[in-house]
Amino acid sequence: METLETMKGPVLKVGIEDKVEPSKALVFGLQHVLAMFGATVTVPLVVGGAVGLSGSEIALMIQAVLLAMGIATLLQTTIGSRYPIVQGSSFAFIPGLIAIGSSLGMAAVQGALIVGGLIEAAIGWLGIIGKVRKLFTPLVTGVTITLIGFSLADVAVKNFFNFYADPSGGTIARATLVAVITFLTTVMVALRAKGSLKAMPVVVGAAVGYLVSVPLGLTDFGLVKSLPIVSVPRPFPWGEPIFDTTAIVLLLFAFMVSIIESVGDYHAIAAVTGSEVTGKHIARGIGSEGLACSIAGLLGACGTTSYSENIGVVALTKVGSRYVVQIGAVILILLSLVPKFGGVLASMPAPVLGGLTLALYGMISVTGLRLIKERVEFNDRNTLILAAALIAGLGAPQLPAEFLAAFPKIVASILESGMAVGALTAIVLDRLL
C-alpha cells in the first residue's frame, strides 16, 4: 500500500504547476543553471583530467554532460517525480568513473552507466526502491558519503599543485598561487557574500581563478580556437560501449548512493514547496534518474542525481514552478550545442579545480559525518561498525597493484574503491550484528 507523507513548508509565491511569463521564466531558469553549473561541470573536468583525456576530449565530455543533464531534468519534471528538481552530475560517481576510465577506458564507462542506469530505473519503476533503502541505514549512508570525499582527496591535491599537467613540478609556484586565490575566493563568497551571489561560490571562484591563471601562462586558448561554434553531440563518442562486469558492479555502489541522496532531496523539495511525498513520487523519480543515467552513458557523459543546491534556490526565491526548471533544462541543452563554450571550460587550469575542490570534496565527507552524528546512536555496536567500515574503506585502495593482481578481477576492482569497500563492510556488519 502506498504511504503518504504531507510536508508543510514555506508558502510559495509560484506553485509547482503555476506558469510564469516567458521573460521571468528565462531569468528564473538561468538562475537554476548558475546554481548547479559549477558543480556539474567540475565532474567531467576532474574525471577527464584524472583519466588522461586531451583538452578536446574533455570539451566533448562537457558538451555531453550539459546535454545529458538538460534531458535528465526534463525527464524528472515530466515523467519523473514532477517536482521542480534540477538534475546534475553526481560526485558519487567520480571515484568509480576514474577507476574504470583509467583501467578499462571510457568505452567501459559508457557501458557501466548504461547498464547501471537500467538497473536503477528498474529499482524505481518496479517498486524495489523500498527494499534497497532498507540496506542503506543512516550509518551505512553516512560511512559511504564520508568515504566518497576521502577517496577524492588525492585528486584535489594533485590538481592543486598541477601534478596531472606538469608532474615534473616546474609550475608549482604559479599553480599554488592560482589554487590559493581560487580557494580563498570560493570560501569568502560562501561565507561572506549576500543575496544570490552567496549561492554561487563555485562559479565565482572558478571565474576569478581562471582570470588570474591567464597572465601566469597556465591557460591555453588554442583548443577554443580550433573548435566549431555549433555542433550536436553524437552518441558513443568513446567508441562502441564495453559491458564489463567488474565495471558495472563497481559503479553500482555509486548508483546506490545517488538513489539515497535523491530520495532525501524529494523529501526536501516537498517540505520547501508544501507538497506531498508518496511512494509513487519516489518510484517515478528514481526510475527517471535511472533512464537519464543510461542516456548519459549513450552520450558519453557522467551519472546524474538531483541537486540540493537548486532546492535551496526554490526555498530562497519561493518560485517552485517546474516549468521554470524546464526552462533551465532547455538552457543547458542549448549550451551543449556550442563546442567553443565547452572548450573554454575544458581549458580551465588544474590548479583552479584544485582550489575549488579542496573544500568541495571535504564538504562531501563532512556531510557524511554530520549525517552520522545526527542520525546514528554512538553505542558499542554502531561505533564498531563505523570504525571497521572507515578503516576498510580507507585502507583497501592503498593495496599495491601487483598484490591486487592475485585477486579475481571483480574483487580487485571493488578493493580499489574505498567507497565500495566501506559500504559493503557497513552493510554486512549492520545486517549481522
Side-chain angles (χ1 to χ4, degrees), residues 83 85 258-271 289 305-309 311:
Y83 289 134
I85 288 180
S258 176
I259 287 173
I260 300 304
E261 288 178 343
S262 293
V263 170
D265 283 339
Y266 299 159
H267 283 81
I269 193 64
E289 285 195 23
T305 192
S306 56
Y307 260 32
S308 303
E309 295 94 327
I311 295 174

Side-chain angles (χ1 to χ4, degrees), residues 168-399:
S168 66
T171 58
I172 284 180
R174 288 177 289 160
T176 302
L177 177 61
V178 170
V180 168
I181 291 175
T182 303
F183 171 74
L184 292 178
T185 301
T186 304
V187 171
M188 292 301 291
V189 171
L191 298 179
R192 302 291 177 85
K194 296 181 180 180
S196 58
L197 190 65
K198 188 178 179 65
M200 298 184 291
V202 174
V203 174
V204 177
V208 171
Y210 199 115
L211 291 174
V212 171
S213 69
V214 174
L216 293 177
L218 293 175
T219 307
D220 181 8
F221 292 106
L223 172 64
V224 181
K225 296 176 182 177
S226 67
L227 293 172
I229 297 176
V230 178
S231 173
V232 179
R234 58 184 176 82
F236 305 129
W238 315 117
E240 185 177 341
I242 296 173
F243 299 101
D244 183 88
T245 303
T246 58
I248 294 168
V249 171
L250 183 59
L251 216 55
L252 283 180
F253 292 97
F255 276 102
M256 293 300 104
V257 173
S258 176
I259 287 173
I260 300 304
E261 288 178 343
S262 293
V263 170
D265 283 339
Y266 299 159
H267 283 81
I269 193 64
V272 167
T273 59
S275 307
E276 60 183 21
V277 181
T278 68
K280 188 176 181 180
H281 280 104
I282 294 173
R284 287 192 323 213
I286 297 302
S288 74
E289 285 195 23
L291 176 60
C293 280
S294 291
I295 292 173
L298 291 171
L299 295 172
C302 307
T304 175
T305 192
S306 56
Y307 260 32
S308 303
E309 295 94 327
N310 294 84
I311 295 174
V313 172
V314 173
L316 182 68
T317 62
K318 301 295 189 297
V319 177
S321 171
R322 62 190 177 94
Y323 301 104
V324 163
V325 171
Q326 289 169 0
I327 293 295
V330 172
I331 293 174
L332 286 173
I333 292 172
L334 292 176
L335 288 175
S336 75
L337 304 179
V338 186
K340 283 190 181 296
F341 178 73
V344 171
L345 297 174
S347 64
M348 186 178 297
V352 177
L353 289 177
L356 293 175
T357 55
L358 188 66
L360 203 58
Y361 292 160
M363 287 302 296
I364 298 174
S365 294
V366 171
T367 299
L369 293 173
R370 184 183 293 122
L371 174 63
I372 294 170
K373 177 185 176 183
E374 295 175 353
R375 302 281 303 280
V376 177
E377 179 185 354
F378 275 84
N379 53 33
D380 290 342
R381 171 190 178 275
N382 291 341
T383 302
L384 178 62
I385 294 173
L386 176 61
L390 284 176
I391 292 301
L394 290 171
Q398 309 304 318
L399 292 171

